[in-house]
Amino acid sequence: MRVQAILTVCMALLLGACALSPQQVTINPTLEPGKSNIGEGRTLSVEVVDAREQPAIGSRGGMYKETSLITPANDLAGAIREASARKFREMGFVVQAAKGASADITIFVDELSYRDPDSSVGFEVELESILRVVAKQNGDTYTGRYQVKNKKTYATVPGRDRNEEMINETLSGALQRLFNDPKLLAFTLR
């Protein structure tokens, strides 16, 4: 009877090890510092729209993928707007809250994903971020699309801190591409 109890406990521990708990990650994109004053005090508004189909960024995998979800701990759109407004200010623009500035910038988060494809060796993670911008000024419109894909392999399942770092790195890369788009910058300076 005692052996059976020990086996039951061991089996429960083994099955529990196959289940991964859900995680919440703080979205905090970072951008390269800019020292240019190209905006020269022009006004613009910045709006961010979370256009993703579902609130979860992805699943950590494991035996119960549908319950081991990674979700934002804070407002995704708000975090991107804050980082974008800060970057535009560094570039010499005056960022106002409402539309009707000399340029209105809307950033759409079309995708922010974390996938764990089945891998025979280690634990593999595929991350992707797709941002789209629609800029309007004086009746003209400019659109751009910015995508970053990353793939990482680990010996063990990454923890919350590492997942947060990878997700923010991927999102920051797409946002940096947006700010490095010379056509978008030229459009805002017309």
Side-chain angles (χ1 to χ4, degrees):
M1 193 68 164
R2 190 170 196 198
V3 172
Q4 189 176 23
I6 292 173
L7 285 175
T8 302
V9 169
C10 288
M11 188 59 116
L13 289 173
L14 181 62
L15 287 175
C18 295
L20 298 172
S21 59
Q23 291 179 343
Q24 286 198 317
V25 295
T26 301
I27 302 300
N28 185 21
T30 55
L31 296 164
E32 297 170 4
K35 297 178 182 171
S36 173
N37 190 26
I38 63 170
E40 297 178 342
R42 287 180 181 85
T43 61
L44 53 81
S45 68
V46 179
E47 181 183 358
V48 178
V49 176
D50 186 354
R52 298 174 305 137
E53 293 180 11
Q54 57 186 359
I57 297 168
S59 170
R60 298 182 65 209
M63 194 171 218
Y64 305 104
K65 291 184 180 194
E66 61 280 348
T67 61
S68 61
L69 299 177
I70 299 174
T71 56
N74 56 337
D75 178 33
L76 174 73
I80 295 170
R81 187 198 181 285
E82 185 179 313
S84 299
R86 185 171 45 249
K87 179 66 173 176
F88 277 120
R89 285 187 194 101
E90 287 176 7
M91 297 167 65
F93 290 95
V94 175
V95 179
Q96 63 184 43
K99 290 190 175 197
S102 58
D104 295 319
I105 310 289
T106 305
I107 301 169
F108 295 88
V109 183
D110 288 335
E111 183 163 349
L112 180 59
S113 62
Y114 177 108
R115 291 182 291 276
D116 66 319
D118 293 329
S119 177
S120 59
V121 179
F123 187 84
E124 188 175 84
V125 177
E126 292 177 353
L127 301 114
E128 184 173 18
S129 179
I130 301 173
L131 301 178
R132 179 172 38 100
V133 70
V134 176
K136 295 185 178 185
Q137 181 174 226
N138 301 324
D140 292 333
T141 301
Y142 174 81
T143 59
R145 185 175 184 273
Y146 314 94
Q147 178 178 14
V148 170
K149 289 183 178 183
N150 288 325
K151 188 183 281 191
K152 311 272 184 173
T153 304
Y154 298 95
T156 61
V157 177
R160 190 197 66 78
D161 290 345
R162 184 65 188 127
N163 283 332
E164 185 173 279
E165 181 183 321
M166 289 187 295
I167 289 165
N168 280 309
E169 177 185 303
T170 304
L171 177 59
S172 297
L175 197 54
Q176 188 64 55
R177 286 184 180 185
L178 182 149
F179 279 97
N180 289 342
D181 180 354
K183 291 180 182 177
L184 174 62
L185 293 178
F187 184 84
T188 61
L189 296 173
R190 295 184 351 183

